[in-house]
Amino acid sequence: MLTSVPGFTSIPSLWLQIIIVAVWVLLILLIAWVVKRFATDEPEIVRKIVHIGTGNVILLAWWLDVPASLGITASIVASAVTLLSYRFPILPGINSVGRQSLGTFFYAVSFGILVACFWYLQQPQYAVIGIMVMTWGDGLAALIGQRFGKHKYQVFGSQKSWEGSLTMTIASYMVSSLILLSVEGNVWQTWVVSLAIALVATGLEAVSFLGIDNLTVPLGSAALAFALIQLLSFG
């Protein structure tokens, strides 16, 4: 099968999909590298640029109808690279050697699990919800919490801020609403389910250690969205 995109009519669609995704990821890494060069005292900004930028790959995979096998393979490769980066300086500025968090690894794993589950069910929007809640909710919560978080609280020894948690709730609600609105339409269930996702995702993000929220938030958000929509029988 050949794609009809102008200038690429001779390229198989699968290869074009790979090229588009690869170019996007390389662009994000380039932006992160430039920011790292000029903001050496802001390592969290570099990590969140990569966190948010690469997370949006799930949107490209959805829109381009990327095969599940490609998404799973990419997840396996990314998981292996991130594991190695904890021992070797493969991803400087994103992972520090010996860093006491497996968040980047869990993030890559969550991609593969969600693609495997919801592409198989032909319901990719739920995988997108899970990843996008983690991408924008957790990403913005970390940035806002660290810069403006004045009111702190602790859950199982992990310190959070109410400002960061509020950001997580709002961002999660917004991305969930937009995705469900595009699929299910402007019905009351869209807004109720989005609110439930936002609240649960915020709770899962608050109860985190060693970066486990990068797995529990996307998986929990996607599973909750799928379960509630089936229960409410719309769509």
Side-chain angles (χ1 to χ4, degrees):
M1 175 180 177
L2 300 181
T3 180
S4 60
V5 176
F8 293 95
T9 54
S10 62
I11 301 178
S13 60
L14 177 60
W15 283 106
L16 181 56
Q17 291 170 347
I18 294 173
I19 290 170
I20 292 172
V21 172
V23 168
W24 176 263
V25 173
L26 289 174
L27 178 62
I28 295 302
L29 293 177
L30 177 61
I31 293 172
W33 179 80
V34 171
V35 172
K36 184 176 183 292
R37 296 271 296 182
F38 293 97
T40 56
D41 59 338
E42 296 284 353
E44 188 63 22
I45 292 180
V46 175
R47 280 195 288 269
K48 292 310 173 185
I49 287 174
V50 176
H51 175 97
I52 293 173
T54 56
N56 283 280
V57 166
I58 196 71
L59 284 175
L60 290 176
W62 185 24
W63 294 338
L64 295 172
D65 195 21
V66 168
S69 58
L70 180 59
I72 295 169
T73 300
S75 171
I76 292 172
V77 172
S79 299
V81 170
T82 54
L83 275 181
L84 288 173
S85 72
Y86 290 108
R87 293 186 60 86
F88 307 101
I90 299 175
L91 300 172
I94 301 173
N95 281 338
S96 300
V97 174
R99 187 168 178 240
Q100 298 301 307
S101 172
L102 292 173
T104 309
F105 169 70
F106 289 138
Y107 196 32
V109 169
S110 67
F111 267 76
I113 294 175
L114 290 176
V115 167
C117 290
F118 291 108
W119 255 247
Y120 173 77
L121 294 174
Q122 298 184 344
Q123 299 286 337
Q125 65 268 27
Y126 300 116
V128 176
I129 287 174
I131 295 299
M132 294 303 286
V133 164
M134 188 65 205
T135 295
W136 288 101
D138 180 77
L140 293 178
L143 291 175
I144 296 299
Q146 290 193 8
R147 186 168 294 273
F148 302 106
K150 304 298 183 183
H151 303 86
K152 307 292 185 180
Y153 68 93
Q154 286 195 349
V155 179
F156 300 127
S158 178
Q159 182 170 277
K160 303 289 181 178
S161 72
W162 287 110
E163 291 84 354
S165 293
L166 180 60
T167 301
M168 175 77 181
T169 303
I170 294 173
S172 299
Y173 181 76
M174 290 181 66
V175 297
S176 299
S177 297
L178 288 172
I179 294 166
L180 288 178
L181 188 62
S182 70
V183 176
E184 308 297 344
N186 185 15
V187 292
W188 68 267
Q189 293 95 331
T190 289
W191 314 111
V192 171
V193 171
S194 296
L195 180 59
I197 294 169
L199 294 175
V200 169
T202 301
L204 290 172
E205 193 275 336
V207 184
S208 62
F209 55 91
L210 297 178
I212 193 67
D213 56 315
N214 281 13
L215 187 64
T216 59
V217 169
L219 297 188
S221 298
L224 179 65
F226 178 75
L228 287 179
I229 286 180
Q230 301 309 306
L231 181 63
L232 296 174
S233 299
F234 78 106

